Amino acid sequence: MIIKPIKFMLAPIVFTLLCLPALSYADLLGKDLLEDCQVKLKLEKATDDSKISAADAFQAGACTGYIKGFDDMEILYASILAGPYGSEKEAQKFSLYCLPEKTTNIQMTSVVVKYLKSHPKELEESASIVVAKAFRDSYPCPTSKNK
């Protein structure tokens, strides 16, 4: 029965180590993510790729990477907490949100942009907190008790 306490002690350590490469984004605020993601959504509607600037492409990529990275970390963290023999359903108990199958990055980006536009006081919050709130509100888990 020593495995369970060790699992819960290792989870924060693993989470921290996996976040180290993202330290440059540690101070990313909701307003910064909103700016990047609005550019991404604008580029999605663009019909002429030749008019896309390198700066716009970078911002769109930063938005995509941040949101996808956040989602990947949430999946990993929930899986660690569910344990080595935990099923996907077991991991869901630890998830902040539950994306429907085949949810695209564009859909996730739209959710974050919509959330930030409707919660302007949160523009100064950490981008990770804002993404978590946006996803929790838009993609609640069926068994979630609104964590």
Side-chain angles (χ1 to χ4, degrees):
M1 292 301 144
I2 292 176
I3 292 175
K4 279 197 175 193
I6 290 173
K7 172 177 68 173
F8 287 105
M9 289 187 314
L10 286 177
I13 294 168
V14 170
F15 182 77
T16 302
L17 290 174
L18 290 171
C19 288
L20 286 177
L23 283 178
S24 63
Y25 283 98
D27 58 349
L28 190 72
L29 299 176
K31 66 182 180 182
D32 304 318
L33 187 61
L34 176 62
E35 182 181 333
D36 290 346
C37 291
Q38 284 179 314
V39 169
K40 176 183 172 151
L41 294 177
K42 179 186 84 174
L43 293 184
E44 277 299 311
K45 295 176 184 173
T47 56
D48 186 1
D49 288 346
S50 66
K51 294 186 180 181
I52 296 174
S53 72
D56 284 352
F58 182 82
Q59 282 186 282
C63 171
T64 299
Y66 193 89
I67 288 176
K68 182 61 179 149
F70 182 92
D71 185 48
D72 287 347
M73 282 304 305
E74 167 61 16
I75 292 167
L76 176 64
Y77 191 66
S79 297
I80 289 170
L81 292 177
Y85 305 107
S87 65
E88 191 175 327
K89 212 171 223 180
E90 182 72 22
Q92 201 176 70
K93 294 178 185 175
F94 298 100
S95 294
L96 292 173
Y97 56 89
C98 295
L99 291 176
E101 279 190 50
K102 299 182 182 178
T103 302
T104 67
N105 194 272
I106 290 296
Q107 290 168 320
M108 292 189 289
T109 300
S110 296
V111 162
V112 171
V113 167
K114 180 180 175 185
Y115 182 86
L116 281 165
K117 285 182 173 182
S118 62
H119 297 84
K121 290 182 180 178
E122 297 190 27
L123 291 171
E124 297 299 324
E125 278 197 40
S126 166
S128 60
I129 299 296
V130 171
V131 173
K133 288 178 180 180
F135 287 176
R136 185 191 60 211
D137 288 358
S138 294
Y139 305 116
C141 293
T143 59
S144 175
K145 295 177 183 158
N146 293 329
K147 301 172 194 177

